[in-house]
Amino acid sequence: MIHNRLFFKIYLTVLGSIGLVAILLALVTVLGKLDPNDPASDRLDRFVAAMYPATDSPIAWQQTTDRLAKGLDTDIAVFGPDGEILASSGNAITRNMINQRQTYSRRNGRILVANLAGGKQVAALAHKSFKPPRAHIINIILLIAAATGIAAYPIVRQLTRRLEEVRLGMERWGAGALDSRITVRGKDEVALVADTFNKAADRIEHLVRSQKSLLANASHELRSPLARLRMAIEIYSDTGADKVKSEIVNNLSELDELVEEILLSSRLDGAQAQAHALDQSIDLLALTAEEASLHDLEVSGQTAQVTGNAKLLRRLVRNLIQNALRHGARPVEISMEQSGNDTIRLIVRDQGKGLPPEERERVFEAFYRPAGRSEAAGGWGLGLSLVRQIAQAHGGTVGYRDASGGGAEFFVDLPHQPADHGA
């Protein structure tokens, strides 16, 4: 479908205005004629024939000539078939002047000639211009300009009104009404601007809500380790026990990890997501094996080359393994397999209880805590939420399914970088 583009509308408005001017000029020309079906010379001949009837005597013709010359302030002469002057008034008009009337008219005024019955002719030399008064021309131009302006106004007003709606919508949104949107009308550039603004506003509103939710949940999650840390410090100051000191170190590590995950999640969900270089060629199998070895786990499967950011992918693998160990049960199995021609799948299985159907999507939400789960048991924090964010940043997806034989199975599909076989 071809869009009704804005410049087409403006262009057609200009063309329509020009066409309207042409039509009005044509109407003025047509209306200015007494009889559009008769030539001007024929009308002049019939007028003069009525003034000089063939039955009149030469004396009557002379009287008629005098009246016309005086009334029209014009030199007039009546010629017979042989060129003789039958009647004359004013300055003399010769046959030579009539024969050369086009050249003569340009220099001395306009000569008009009318034909009578019997080969007679009436010639008139008009010294005043037959052009319409200048004021009349100005009035016609003003009339045409006014008509053009009135015809173009509705189209221009419609365009400017829609632009005004876009401006007011942006002002409302900029004033803090993040749910404000602009009504999209038509399919031209103004409509595209409104639609683009609405999409950008949706994205920014989502980011703001995500940041608010992240801040609220992070504040809640930080409360528990801070409270434990405060209590442990008080006990350690009284006892100095090594066990209490170890508890302080663990709480500090938990706080440090939580703060790091919050900052990473904020960067991935905001405008700083592009700050991470995603153009490194990475052996995902080797990277996963390194992380698995830290927990005495092994990885099976084939070598998989992916393009992305090694630091982010390492965090993705680490969070999947820690989630399996924290919320599942050993043994934990990690594998890499081909999923389609251009996708590699990373799978982490555990032997835990698995997830009920209503939680299989929500576990990827930040700080999701199932109903009835105690504060001590904790929720999923940011671990799986970061897995999804990192996968999406690499053009991939995440998912969950029940493992065959029981337990949970989390998987990540990432675009696969084909091996170079050209050697």
Side-chain angles (χ1 to χ4, degrees):
M1 181 180 294
I2 300 177
H3 288 178
N4 296 321
R5 302 183 68 85
L6 181 60
F7 73 87
F8 279 147
K9 291 184 177 180
I10 297 175
Y11 181 63
L12 291 177
T13 300
V14 173
L15 290 182
S17 301
I18 295 174
L20 180 60
V21 170
I23 292 172
L24 290 175
L25 286 175
L27 288 175
V28 170
T29 302
V30 170
L31 294 176
K33 296 179 179 180
L34 295 177
D35 186 357
N37 297 318
D38 292 338
S41 60
D42 184 56
R43 295 200 306 274
L44 180 61
D45 291 348
R46 287 188 283 115
F47 170 77
V48 173
M51 298 298 298
Y52 292 91
T55 57
D56 283 354
S57 62
I59 296 176
W61 282 11
Q62 182 63 50
Q63 292 174 351
T64 300
T65 301
D66 292 337
R67 287 196 303 269
L68 288 176
K70 182 178 180 180
L72 299 176
D73 191 18
T74 304
D75 302 330
I76 299 177
V78 181
F79 295 91
D82 298 329
E84 71 277 13
I85 297 178
L86 302 179
S88 176
S89 181
N91 296 325
I93 300 177
T94 65
R95 296 292 297 184
N96 185 56
M97 293 168 59
I98 295 175
N99 295 333
Q100 303 293 328
R101 60 178 177 270
Q102 291 184 354
T103 303
Y104 188 87
S105 296
R106 287 195 294 268
R107 296 196 305 263
N108 306 288
R110 187 173 181 182
I111 295 180
L112 301 176
V113 178
N115 298 311
L116 298 176
K120 301 181 182 68
Q121 287 183 322
V122 177
L125 174 58
H127 298 282
K128 293 184 178 179
S129 174
F130 279 84
K131 295 180 181 180
R134 179 168 300 182
H136 183 56
I137 297 176
I138 294 176
N139 290 336
I140 293 176
I141 294 175
L142 292 177
L143 177 62
I144 294 174
T148 304
I150 293 173
Y153 177 81
I155 300 176
V156 177
R157 182 63 186 126
Q158 181 188 16
L159 295 176
T160 55
R161 183 182 292 113
R162 292 168 59 208
L163 290 172
E164 183 70 11
E165 290 177 358
V166 173
R167 184 187 68 82
L168 292 176
M170 291 181 175
E171 286 185 354
R172 289 193 300 269
W173 187 84
L178 298 184
D179 59 344
S180 176
R181 298 295 182 269
I182 301 171
T183 302
V184 179
R185 296 189 181 91
K187 296 180 180 179
D188 54 15
E189 285 86 348
V190 178
L192 293 177
V193 169
D195 184 61
T196 302
F197 169 79
N198 288 342
K199 291 178 180 178
D202 288 339
R203 176 60 176 164
I204 293 176
E205 183 182 11
H206 169 72
L207 290 176
V208 171
R209 289 181 177 177
S210 297
Q211 293 296 323
K212 288 182 178 179
S213 176
L214 180 64
L215 179 60
N217 289 318
S219 300
H220 181 76
E221 293 293 326
L222 287 170
R223 201 175 296 157
S224 296
L226 284 173
R228 293 196 304 268
L229 184 60
R230 185 182 297 110
M231 184 179 298
I233 291 175
E234 292 176 356
I235 296 175
Y236 183 75
S237 62
D238 295 334
T239 64
D242 291 338
K243 183 178 180 180
V244 178
K245 180 180 179 181
S246 177
E247 178 68 18
I248 294 175
V249 173
N250 291 336
N251 284 325
L252 288 174
S253 299
E254 182 180 350
L255 282 173
D256 182 66
E257 182 179 359
L258 181 58
V259 170
E260 182 182 354
E261 288 186 338
I262 291 172
L263 293 175
L264 179 58
S265 176
S266 178
R267 287 195 296 268
L268 288 174
D269 202 26
Q272 302 179 29
Q274 301 301 324
H276 300 279
L278 303 176
D279 56 356
Q280 304 170 8
S281 181
I282 302 164
D283 186 342
L284 188 60
L285 180 65
L287 184 148
T288 304
E290 291 177 7
E291 285 296 317
S293 65
L294 300 177
H295 302 277
D296 297 325
L297 300 175
E298 296 183 355
V299 182
S300 62
Q302 61 187 54
T303 301
Q305 290 293 129
V306 297
T307 302
N309 183 281
K311 183 177 180 180
L312 293 179
L313 290 176
R314 189 177 296 277
R315 165 67 73 170
L316 179 147
V317 173
R318 183 185 308 161
N319 285 6
L320 284 175
I321 295 175
Q322 290 177 350
N323 175 75
L325 295 175
R326 183 178 302 166
H327 300 287
R330 287 179 181 268
V332 174
E333 301 176 1
I334 307 173
S335 62
M336 202 84 62
E337 63 184 38
Q338 191 81 20
S339 177
N341 295 329
D342 55 358
T343 304
I344 196 72
R345 173 167 288 183
L346 169 64
I347 303 173
V348 179
R349 302 182 186 90
D350 64 67
Q351 300 300 316
K353 296 180 180 180
L355 295 173
E358 64 273 10
E359 294 182 2
R360 294 178 182 179
E361 286 296 327
R362 300 205 62 189
V363 291
F364 295 102
E365 297 177 6
F367 298 108
Y368 173 67
R369 186 189 303 275
R373 194 178 183 96
S374 66
E375 185 82 16
W380 268 269
L382 281 170
L384 292 179
S385 175
L386 281 174
V387 169
R388 180 170 63 178
Q389 286 181 284
I390 295 172
Q392 290 175 344
H394 288 77
T397 59
V398 299
Y400 167 88
R401 65 189 177 191
D402 292 332
S404 58
E409 181 177 298
F410 289 88
F411 59 89
V412 178
D413 290 334
L414 294 172
H416 176 46
Q417 178 183 321
D420 186 9
H421 297 291

